[in-house]
Amino acid sequence: MIGHVPLCAQHAAERYAEFPKQERMNSLRPYLAKYDLFPPRRDPQTAPIRMEQLKGLVRKWKLHHERNFWRNHPSTEDVVNACHKHLKEKRRLEQQKKEIQAKRRNEQGLGVSFASGNKKP
């Protein structure tokens, strides 16, 4: 860009760059509220999400049992990304479980016996 960039434009660009990070962090808010990780007198819908709350969520989900978890995830952004990765895996496993259950229901509805592999008379 040629010429002087106004300070307000610089601040707007910084806020715009931070927006996706804030949205990712805010998407963890329901889980933080579910496990009651916010301070007792704060509204979970408006309270700021700090590293303290994220650490509590990591401990609830037992992600900290991974070797060198805190060394590999030193910043807030790294912890948020690890939580999102865990959520994605959790959703994938739940979907897979539902598919298996539906498949079993369909096979039972068709009269397929699992032990013999043959259809029931």
Side-chain angles (χ1 to χ4, degrees):
M1 184 183 283
I2 299 175
H4 174 72
V5 178
L7 190 60
C8 61
Q10 292 173 359
H11 290 307
E14 289 173 10
R15 284 193 305 270
Y16 180 74
E18 290 291 320
F19 186 72
K21 296 174 188 174
Q22 284 296 330
E23 282 302 310
R24 286 179 68 85
M25 191 177 296
N26 281 332
S27 68
L28 296 174
R29 189 175 294 277
Y31 302 101
L32 294 168
K34 176 183 173 183
Y35 295 117
D36 201 29
L37 296 173
F38 287 108
R41 295 186 179 153
R42 298 298 301 255
D43 180 22
Q45 299 302 320
T46 58
I49 299 174
R50 295 194 173 99
M51 189 65 159
E52 179 183 340
Q53 286 85 26
L54 293 174
K55 283 182 178 181
L57 186 61
V58 165
R59 289 188 180 105
K60 288 286 185 181
W61 284 345
K62 296 179 176 45
L63 299 178
H64 66 290
H65 289 295
E66 177 186 320
R67 186 180 185 118
N68 294 327
F69 181 85
W70 297 115
R71 185 177 294 163
N72 295 335
H73 303 88
S75 69
T76 304
E77 193 173 321
D78 293 333
V79 174
V80 169
N81 289 336
C83 289
H84 272 278
K85 183 178 176 183
H86 175 73
L87 276 177
K88 188 176 179 181
E89 181 67 16
K90 188 175 177 181
R91 288 179 186 143
R92 186 188 67 79
L93 291 174
E94 286 176 3
Q95 181 65 30
Q96 189 177 20
K97 183 178 177 181
K98 286 179 184 179
E99 290 172 2
I100 290 171
Q101 289 174 346
K103 184 178 177 183
R104 286 184 180 163
R105 270 190 248 115
N106 288 339
E107 288 176 352
Q108 288 175 350
L110 295 174
V112 176
S113 173
F114 290 109
S116 63
N118 300 328
K119 289 188 176 182
K120 293 180 183 177

